[in-house]
Amino acid sequence: MQYVRRVSRLWSFARSYGLDLLIVIAAVEGALEVAFRDDPMRAPRTTAWFAVPAAAIIVLPLLGRRRWRFGAPVSVWLLAAAFSFVDGRLVEFTAGVAAAGMAASFLLGQVPDAVQARHGLAVVLSGAAIIVYNDPNHAAGDFIFIPVLFAVAWLAGFALRERTAQAEAAEERAIDAEREREAAPRVAV
């Protein structure tokens, strides 16, 4: 019985904070990748004291996604675009930053306000284009492929938001129908 309670608590903790843990792991992974990966053609050119914390700082705003549903993912894209002006190779170099960009795009698609969600798409597309432009190793096709890749992530979030809205509306209709069904016998008496 004790074991079941521990597993239940662990599962509850994982559901509540699992994504936060993945975000922290992605930030640490990005910082460690910049610090220790040796790739002279693609490696960032700035000093390690700037590049290592910058790789982590780009990812960490996602921790505020519950409180700032629009601001946190937009901050990821704004920071990535700003840091790409300092070192065009920094953002393209790490897998953790790319994963954070995908997650931020998805979260921007899920923003409840459709106008804000579309503004989020504009930030994603322009941020991706800026990052590709500032990367000295970019190919011509990257100007199309990379923004489209992040737009697909945004579209997945937007579709899920629409699906969630439909499910919530159906649940509301079911609750209203249940109330009417319970109230009908009282009215008849």
Side-chain angles (χ1 to χ4, degrees):
M1 192 65 166
Q2 185 79 355
Y3 175 75
V4 173
R5 277 191 225 130
R6 285 183 185 161
V7 170
S8 177
R9 274 189 261 140
L10 181 65
W11 185 249
S12 176
F13 180 80
R15 276 186 287 148
S16 298
Y17 298 106
L19 188 57
D20 292 335
L21 181 63
L22 288 175
I23 291 167
V24 171
I25 288 171
V28 170
E29 182 276 332
L32 291 175
E33 191 173 359
V34 169
F36 296 116
R37 184 171 155 198
D38 187 30
D39 186 359
M41 292 299 293
R42 296 187 59 230
R45 297 287 188 221
T46 57
T47 60
W49 66 265
F50 172 78
V52 170
I57 288 171
I58 292 170
V59 177
L60 290 176
L62 286 177
L63 292 173
R65 73 191 181 287
R66 289 185 185 115
R67 188 167 194 180
W68 300 287
R69 294 192 68 168
F70 180 75
V74 163
S75 297
V76 170
W77 280 100
L78 295 177
L79 285 170
F83 285 143
S84 76
F85 282 109
V86 177
D87 187 349
R89 297 174 182 204
L90 175 66
V91 177
E92 296 273 339
F93 188 67
T94 63
V97 172
M102 283 293 193
S105 298
F106 182 79
L107 289 172
L108 284 170
Q110 283 190 318
V111 172
D113 183 12
V115 173
Q116 273 189 337
R118 288 186 181 94
H119 287 139
L121 177 61
V123 169
V124 167
L125 294 176
S126 59
I130 289 169
I131 291 166
V132 169
Y133 178 77
N134 288 333
D135 180 18
N137 298 327
H138 72 271
D142 289 346
F143 280 110
I144 302 298
F145 175 71
I146 292 179
V148 166
L149 183 66
F150 289 109
V152 167
W154 179 90
L155 189 61
F158 193 75
L160 188 61
R161 179 187 73 85
E162 289 294 322
R163 187 75 136 178
T164 303
Q166 289 173 354
E168 287 173 355
E171 187 175 340
E172 282 294 320
R173 287 192 303 270
I175 290 171
D176 290 343
E178 182 67 23
R179 284 187 197 135
E180 288 176 12
R181 189 181 63 81
E182 290 174 357
R186 288 186 221 144
V187 172
V189 174

